[in-house]
Each structure stands twice: as structure tokens, then as C-alpha cells.
Amino acid sequence: MVAAAAIFCVAAAAVWIAGVSLSATTDSLERRFGLGEALGGLVILSIATNLPEIAITTSAAVSGELGIAIGNILGGIAIQTMVLVILDAALHRSGTPLTHRAASLVLVLEGALVIAVLIVAMMGHFLPGSLLLWRVGPGELLIVGIWAVGLWLIDRSRDRLPWHAAGNAPGGQVVERGHATEMRATGAMAAGRRGVLLRLVVASVVTLVAGLALEQSGERLASGLGLSGVVFGATVLAASTSLPEISTGIASVRLGDYQLAVSDIFGGNAFLPVLFSWAGLLSGRAVLPEITSVDLYLTGLGILLTVVFVWGLIARPVRRVGPLGVDSAVALALYAVGMIGFATFAGSL
């Protein structure tokens, strides 16, 4: 147990450090190849920032232990959404809340995409496990299709929405969206093309290995603490793999790119359910029918939290409750109540 805990902590630290470096080098490569925030850039960024979850899902699917992967994906969405609360708190001394500054109809569309893929995941749970298409369940394939089409529609919506200022609210962020990406990319590009590629490879390998170590040591810790893989994956493991999002999000907020900070969270959350198809390909069985009642509970919590922040992006509340905007305070309260219910629910099983 002591060794497993030490490995888990070291792996979590490696995920944090490598994840931040990976984000910067990915930004640099996007600029070098002219992808920017185009569709290709969104796909690359989604994959790069979720390498720990990809490693965990791969390891769990190969070993046949899908519970911890499912819990990490669905529980991770709820926890990563709470990163927005942390980012909002970081702004409490500098004026209006995060969603007031980041307000954009494009971000509302990104939040809607998160809700859409999570609803399909819940519906896929009720399909028979014997129903497979190319080693993958139809629900998993539908999630991939909705995610791909959703990204395409969101990409087309940038600067093209038939609303005033392309859907950007007045009095929001001053700098252009993507400013933080430009700043991170500029710092990474100083190393030259070969240096950037080397950093990308090293950061990717470290992230993948650390993700594998998190999954393996996490299974040992879960069994030693008497927790199911689902519960551990949805809480401690999901929190550890969300560390890079916290660091890069705070960096974006400090640079005044509030829209990018919110977009990174919504984009990562929309991508995570796509990993169900990858798990199905590796394991050769439908994944969504194996979702447990605990997973469904966490999925509902993730949808609820996303709705709160989508409301915040539309209503743009100005008031704060302590250091938090009204929407962040509501989300924090709902998460606290939800996790109390989760602990009660999981303990009764």
C-alpha cells in the first residue's frame, strides 16, 4: 500500500508537469502547421490533453478491468467541470466572474455537445451487450459521430454566427480568443522545430507512462482501501488526471483568455466519452452496457454541472457569493451535495 501510494503520487506529479509541457508544445505545433483553432487543431488538442485518460483506458481495456476506466471517464467529467470553479475563484480580486467575461454562444454550443454525448452514453447503457458493430457497441459509435459532427459545427460557427459580434457578449474579454495559446506557443517555439518535437515526444511518453502507473497503482490502492474500481476511478484517479487542466486554465485566465479556459474544459469533457469506442476496440465488447448505476449517477451530475455553467454563459451573472460567481457557487453546492449522495449511494451497494 505504501509503495502503491508513493507511485501514485509520483505519477500524478508527472502527469501535472508533462501535461503542462504537452499543452505548450501542442500549441506551438498548431501554429507552425497553421491549424490554430481549426477543426484539426481541436482534435489534436483533445487527444493531447487527455493522454492520461487514454493510457488509463488502454490499460484497463487490455486487462479486462473496464470499471476503473468507465469511472475515470464519467467521474472525470464532473471533476473537470469543477475546475471552472477554481478558475473563477482565481479571478475574485479582479472584477466580474469567469462566465461573465467568457460569455460566448460558441461556448454554449460546446457545452451542449458535452451534454449530448453524455446523454447518448446513458442511453447506450440500456442496449444489449451482444449488439456489436466492428467490435464496438452502436452507442459508442454514435458518440464518436456526434462528437465529430459537433466539432465540425462548432468550427463553422466561429465568427459565422448570425448574431451581433458573432455571438460574443459585450463587456467580455478584451483580448482575442486564442491569445493564451499564442503566448504559450511563442515560448515553446523558441526551442526550434526539433526542440518542440522532442519536447512533444518526451512529454507524451511521460504522460502515457504516468497514466499507466496511475491505473496500476490506483487498482492496488482501491483494493487496499476497500473501494471499488468505479468509485476510485471516479474520485481520486479522476482528480489526479485533471491536474494539467487546472494549471493551463489558470495560465489562460491570467493572460485574459477566459474563453479559451472554458473551451479547454468543455472540449476535454466532450472528448472523454469518445474513449469508450477505443476501450471497445481493445476489449472486443460493448462498454456502455457495463456502465453501473454509480456511473449513471456521476453522468447525471456531470450534465447538471454543465447546465449550470451554460446558464452562466448566457445569463452572465455579475454578483459574487464570497470569492465565487453565482453560477460557480451553485455548481460547488451541487457538487458537494452530489458527492455526499454518491458516497451514500456507493456505500449501500
Side-chain angles (χ1 to χ4, degrees), residues 6-38:
I7 292 173
F8 188 89
C9 292
V10 171
V15 164
W16 175 298
I17 297 170
V20 173
S21 178
L22 191 62
S23 177
T25 52
T26 302
D27 294 338
S28 176
L29 287 176
E30 287 177 0
R31 292 301 177 272
R32 286 187 180 276
F33 290 100
L35 293 174
E37 284 197 310

Side-chain angles (χ1 to χ4, degrees), residues 149-340:
V149 172
L151 283 188
W152 178 73
L153 291 174
I154 289 170
D155 181 55
R156 285 181 57 86
S157 297
R158 298 188 195 282
D159 304 319
R160 301 182 188 178
L161 288 174
W163 292 74
H164 177 67
N168 292 314
Q173 72 179 48
V174 177
V175 301
E176 184 180 356
R177 172 172 166 165
H179 171 72
T181 299
E182 292 281 359
M183 297 298 291
R184 291 197 295 261
T186 301
M189 288 171 69
R193 180 171 296 184
R194 289 185 178 180
V196 171
L197 289 173
L198 180 61
R199 284 182 60 183
L200 177 67
V201 172
V202 171
S204 298
V205 172
V206 170
T207 304
L208 288 170
V209 173
L212 179 62
L214 282 174
E215 194 272 335
Q216 297 293 326
S217 59
E219 284 188 7
R220 177 68 185 89
L221 286 174
S223 61
L225 295 172
L227 299 174
S228 69
V230 173
V231 173
F232 188 85
T235 52
V236 180
L237 188 58
S240 65
T241 56
S242 298
L243 293 176
E245 283 79 3
I246 296 175
S247 180
T248 55
I250 290 176
S252 295
V253 164
R254 286 176 176 173
L255 292 170
D257 202 340
Y258 312 111
Q259 292 183 7
L260 183 65
V262 177
S263 180
D264 284 347
I265 299 300
F266 282 167
N269 286 351
F271 173 77
L272 283 177
V274 174
L275 295 179
F276 288 136
S277 294
W278 175 240
L281 285 172
L282 293 177
S283 62
R285 63 183 199 256
V287 178
L288 294 182
E290 298 190 25
I291 290 178
T292 65
S293 53
V294 173
D295 295 319
L296 290 176
Y297 181 94
L298 290 171
T299 305
L301 180 60
I303 292 173
L304 184 60
L305 296 174
T306 303
V307 168
V308 170
F309 283 107
V310 167
W311 171 83
L313 290 168
I314 297 173
R316 304 183 70 205
V318 178
R319 289 187 57 191
R320 284 188 177 274
V321 180
L324 300 177
V326 173
D327 49 354
S328 294
V330 171
L332 181 61
L334 289 174
Y335 186 77
V337 173
M339 293 311 291
I340 292 173

Side-chain angles (χ1 to χ4, degrees), residues 123-143:
M123 295 169 65
H125 164 70
F126 299 98
L127 296 176
S130 58
L131 186 59
L132 292 174
L133 299 172
W134 305 294
R135 293 171 58 88
V136 180
E140 291 91 311
L141 290 175
L142 182 57
I143 287 176

